Amino acid sequence: MADDLSTTLAEAARLLADARDVTLLSHVNPDADTLGSALAVGLALHRRGVRVRVAFGEPEAVPESLRALDTAGLLVHRDEVPEVPELLVVMDTGSVARLGPLGDRVANARGPVIVVDHHVSNTRYGTVHCVDAGAEATALIALKLLDEMGAEVDEPIARCLYAGLVTDTGGFRKAGPGAHETAARLLKTGVDAHSVTRPLMDAHPFAYLGMLSQVLAKAELDRTAAGGLGLVHAVVSLEDARDVRSEEVESVIDVVRSASEAEVAAVLKELRPGYWSVSLRAVGEVDVREVAQVLGGGGHRLAAGFTFDGVSEQVVAALKGALEQVGS
């Protein structure tokens, strides 16, 4: 049965109203949607006197482009997350596996586990599920939760939500009327759209150009893959990524996906020797969520991902096999 969002939001707000200690988790390799949503709700709770911590499993440090969102110092290293959280809120995370080293906190939680997410592949691993697969970003659901809580959505909170909304909609290219209306509401609090958006989407250190040139020079196009619709892929090795931030590595997919000859784009990112995180994008005809699920991952119809152990050639072979399986 599909979740009744209004009912689960009310239940989540009731639980948070009584909470004194709350841990909010984001998925590994956090982006602005997962971290912005967690920080927005965390800040509202912090102002009520709740003990709040926000964390993610990997990497070790907070992405530089997201640090400014944490105006109250709520972010902590994964080692500071209690082994047995009192109340757990998990943001923008479709499965326990996406929490990486912090995944065991779900089973260990002393109290409820509130899941706030917009992935259609969400596995309902918590106790209260505020999941809306029709929402363009988890930030939109987080805002509904804040409204249900009766929290004031001022500029610091709105900035966190706007960061998640603008990035997950691709600069509003994938946003419907409701998302645009929400953006207007957030901007009216005083959010400076340019100062929020530039470090997230439009600014990279000079080293990014060198990394990108190395990676794109090795990109490959297979016109026969995906049932003849085409696959373009690029590989970012540990050596390629040595001098850049995680943000630069994550942004490579936005360049690779621009190849007009391919329906599907993939970027293989080496997290440690022989262990890869793979980002998938599709133009419109292939459901890459189904492809990712074949390989143990998940996501959205046109944007998904999975992880894989092996050499890059094995990853590509497995991906092509999954594309054939889904297309057959």
Side-chain angles (χ1 to χ4, degrees), residues 26-295:
S26 295
H27 60 68
V28 293
N29 301 312
D31 57 18
D33 194 26
T34 185
L35 212 54
S37 297
L39 287 168
V41 174
L43 183 54
L45 292 168
H46 172 71
R47 290 173 176 173
R48 294 182 176 183
V50 179
R51 183 177 181 184
V52 174
R53 64 191 66 79
V54 177
F56 51 87
E58 292 175 330
E60 288 289 326
V62 181
E64 183 180 337
S65 60
L66 299 175
R67 290 175 189 169
L69 299 179
D70 184 19
T71 57
L74 303 180
L75 281 164
V76 302
H77 187 270
R78 62 173 180 258
D79 292 343
E80 298 179 53
V81 176
E83 291 287 341
V84 184
E86 288 190 21
L87 193 155
L88 194 61
V89 181
V90 185
M91 291 287 186
D92 193 46
T93 304
S95 67
V96 172
R98 286 283 285 152
L99 290 173
L102 293 177
D104 62 350
R105 300 319 196 267
V106 173
N108 292 347
R110 177 179 295 115
V113 177
I114 299 170
V115 177
V116 182
D117 190 25
H118 72 134
H119 291 91
V120 69
S121 58
N122 189 283
T123 59
R124 271 52 175 191
Y125 53 87
T127 51
V128 177
H129 301 102
C130 303
V131 178
D132 180 6
E136 294 96 329
T138 292
L140 294 171
I141 311 170
L143 176 57
K144 290 182 178 180
L145 177 57
L146 288 165
D147 287 341
E148 190 70 33
M149 293 165 56
E152 178 189 1
V153 179
D154 59 2
E155 193 277 338
I157 288 178
R159 191 190 325 154
C160 293
L161 297 172
Y162 186 84
L165 182 57
V166 70
T167 52
D168 251 39
T169 58
F172 296 103
R173 290 189 293 272
K174 299 179 287 184
H180 282 280
E181 290 169 3
T182 297
R185 173 187 170 185
L186 298 175
L187 291 172
K188 286 177 182 176
T189 67
V191 172
D192 183 332
H194 177 72
S195 66
V196 172
T197 305
R198 177 167 167 75
L200 294 172
M201 305 178 73
D202 300 322
H204 298 287
F206 182 72
Y208 170 70
L209 300 180
M211 181 274 289
L212 195 60
S213 66
Q214 293 176 31
V215 170
L216 296 183
K218 298 178 290 184
E220 297 182 15
L221 172 66
D222 184 345
R223 298 174 185 267
T224 66
L229 296 174
L231 165 69
V232 59
H233 82 270
V235 177
V236 185
S237 68
L238 286 171
E239 177 63 23
D240 293 325
R242 182 184 58 186
D243 299 324
V244 298
R245 309 172 302 177
S246 60
E247 294 97 313
E248 275 66 64
V249 177
E250 292 300 320
S251 71
V252 172
I253 187 65
D254 293 320
V255 180
V256 175
R257 69 188 298 185
S258 65
S260 59
E261 297 91 341
E263 160 67 20
V264 179
V267 172
L268 286 60
K269 300 161 291 184
E270 193 173 23
L271 301 183
R272 51 183 180 268
Y275 182 71
W276 305 84
S277 173
V278 182
S279 295
L280 301 176
R281 299 291 186 271
V283 177
E285 295 188 54
V286 174
D287 186 339
V288 289
R289 175 184 60 86
E290 293 185 1
V291 176
Q293 286 180 320
V294 170
L295 298 167

